[in-house]
Amino acid sequence: MKVTPGSVVSLSYDICTEEGEIVESSEIGGTISFVHGRGAIIPGLDKKLVGMDEGEERTFTFPPTEAFGQPEDAPKKGIKRSEFPADAKLEKGASFEAGIPGGHKIRLEVVEISAQEVTVRMIHPLAGKTITMNVAVRKVRPATPAETASGIVQAAPPPPLPK
């Protein structure tokens, strides 16, 4: 089966810097599965996967706009001031490192400060960088109605209903 928008795709991958350093790999966390076309992966890869066959491997290079974006375009989030260390120097432009699920880190850049809240820009470590991805499509299947509705892949598709 070929990758089409709305199909469930499982793939393995390596993300490399322009210098060839592997900075993320599915070998650590296993394959990833997602409903294609729902924004679960970087935009450039979503486009490149269309038409690939199960078992096919390819290497792609993505500029920042098709990968993790530019730092100035990173999403913003309000965080309660009390969540920062008491001795943190909170001023516009200050940066802090924060852990995210999967053991990765992002940079929080202070954009705005109020008495109760600090608005930060959440910057991915690869923002502003060109990356290369080596991908292998491991499995492609039709999404279930629940997966299509939610955009979330189930651990295993439910068995077919008896006729």
Side-chain angles (χ1 to χ4, degrees):
M1 180 174 179
K2 289 187 182 289
V3 175
T4 58
S7 60
V8 172
V9 180
S10 297
L11 58 84
S12 57
Y13 66 93
D14 291 325
I15 299 176
C16 304
T17 64
E18 285 184 282
E19 295 77 31
E21 175 189 1
I22 296 175
V23 292
E24 188 175 319
S25 177
S26 61
E27 283 193 26
I28 296 168
T31 60
I32 60 167
S33 296
F34 55 93
V35 178
H36 185 273
R38 298 295 292 265
I41 57 174
I42 64 171
L45 182 59
D46 222 16
K47 293 174 193 169
K48 298 277 189 186
L49 290 174
V50 173
M52 285 183 67
D53 283 310
E54 196 170 291
E56 190 173 348
E57 297 182 25
R58 288 197 189 162
T59 298
F60 303 110
T61 298
F62 300 106
T65 54
E66 293 180 8
F68 295 95
Q70 296 291 356
E72 60 271 15
D73 299 326
K76 295 177 186 175
K77 179 180 181 177
I79 300 174
K80 290 181 183 176
R81 209 175 171 133
S82 61
E83 291 186 42
F84 287 86
D87 61 344
K89 190 172 180 179
L90 296 175
E91 60 185 31
K92 191 173 181 176
S95 289
F96 300 89
E97 194 173 79
I100 58 174
H104 301 289
K105 303 223 182 253
I106 61 169
R107 184 168 49 104
L108 302 178
E109 183 180 276
V110 177
V111 176
E112 192 176 310
I113 304 165
S114 72
Q116 300 298 318
E117 189 175 83
V118 178
T119 302
V120 297
R121 186 170 276 126
M122 301 179 299
I123 304 171
H124 190 281
L126 295 173
K129 297 182 179 176
T130 295
I131 63 162
T132 298
M133 287 189 76
N134 304 310
V135 299
V137 177
R138 299 295 179 206
K139 185 171 178 133
V140 182
R141 65 172 174 80
T144 65
E147 290 169 330
T148 298
S150 69
I152 299 170
V153 175
Q154 299 172 357
L161 296 171
K163 293 184 179 189

